[in-house]
Amino acid sequence: YLYPSVDHADQGEQQGGSGFLVQVPLPSNPDRAIVFAVTNLHVCKAAPVIRLNNKDGNVSIADFTKQHWIRHPDGDDLAIVPIGLDRSRHKISTIGREIFISQAIIDKYDIGVGDDVFVVGRFINHEGKQKNSPSVRFGNIAQMPGDKLKLDTGVEQEAFVVEAKSIGGYSGSPVFVHMLPLSSRPIRDDPKTLLIVPSPGIGPWLLGIDCCHI
């Protein structure tokens, strides 16, 4: 969760947004990695402080300012900050780049309109004051990227349009697409073959980041 200040994070006040953690291997040593917190630029500008759950039931607060966050070079509504973590202390999960959606994955599994997505984020009306209690919301891809979406900032950004029950507080949340068990679809490189997806399905892949409502 992201908050405007350490005091807001400590009190668990209903302000701010969501974020997630991405683990990136070091080019010089693939056995080691750096973890980045990821959210929207518009979230970290107003709420740069991060609150994480601890394994003992308490929370840790990372006192970042908006100057610490690294903006996307093209002006997209995206920002990251490297964050030091203690896996023996923090109750966390990280996302690896291998599950980022790619055009190759989209083509292979014919991912498109109607496919199932889920959003993991912060339901600010019942978010958890003493610790983070993320909520999951569900929906479907409504439109694949085509014409760029114009944000309130004036920046035109590539985007998927998703039909989902998203409200304030979910900005910055990761959005995943997956193929449910026993679904079927053709394989692009072998159109005569119909893929029957066995349990527990295929995916999930990180589709993107919840950035706006249209």
Side-chain angles (χ1 to χ4, degrees):
Y1 291 178
L2 288 104
Y3 293 88
S5 69
V6 170
D7 287 341
H8 286 92
D10 189 54
Q11 296 298 319
E13 295 188 7
Q14 293 179 332
Q15 298 185 54
S18 303
F20 57 102
L21 303 171
V22 172
Q23 181 170 302
V24 180
L26 294 173
S28 59
N29 186 354
D31 293 332
R32 299 187 64 188
I34 185 170
V35 176
F36 292 93
V38 182
T39 191
N40 296 132
L41 176 60
H42 81 261
V43 169
C44 70
K45 286 171 67 176
V49 175
I50 296 174
R51 191 176 82 167
L52 301 165
N53 286 343
N54 292 340
K55 292 182 178 180
D56 63 5
N58 295 313
V59 295
S60 293
I61 298 172
D63 186 13
F64 292 112
T65 68
K66 64 182 180 180
Q67 286 77 24
H68 288 114
W69 289 82
I70 304 166
R71 303 182 178 201
H72 192 282
D74 295 333
D76 289 0
D77 192 11
L78 182 67
I80 63 173
V81 66
I83 183 169
L85 298 170
D86 181 353
R87 292 184 183 274
S88 66
R89 177 189 179 194
H90 297 122
K91 187 178 181 181
I92 59 168
S93 295
T94 59
I95 297 170
R97 290 190 298 179
E98 68 276 2
I99 70 164
F100 285 16
I101 197 72
S102 66
Q103 191 61 50
I105 293 172
I106 290 172
D107 291 344
K108 180 175 182 179
Y109 295 108
D110 196 26
I111 291 172
V113 172
D115 280 331
D116 292 272
V117 304
F118 60 94
V119 184
V120 185
R122 180 177 172 189
F123 181 37
I124 61 173
N125 294 319
H126 191 62
E127 60 182 338
K129 286 188 172 293
Q130 302 303 316
K131 64 178 182 179
N132 301 351
S133 298
S135 298
V136 181
R137 312 199 93 177
F138 303 88
N140 304 89
I141 296 176
Q143 190 178 91
M144 296 294 282
D147 293 337
K148 291 188 175 183
L149 181 67
K150 190 172 184 178
L151 305 179
D152 292 339
T153 59
V155 173
E156 293 187 344
Q157 177 176 300
E158 183 180 42
F160 294 85
V161 178
V162 168
E163 178 76 20
K165 297 179 178 67
S166 177
I167 59 175
Y170 277 85
S171 288
S173 299
V175 183
F176 298 93
V177 60
H178 63 152
M179 296 170 62
L180 295 176
L182 302 181
S183 62
S184 63
R185 63 193 61 215
I187 299 298
R188 288 282 180 90
D189 54 5
D190 186 8
K192 295 182 180 180
T193 300
L194 191 66
L195 175 69
I196 305 297
V197 182
S199 181
I202 292 180
W205 298 281
L206 179 67
L207 187 68
I209 182 170
D210 185 344
C211 70
C212 69
H213 298 159
I214 59 172

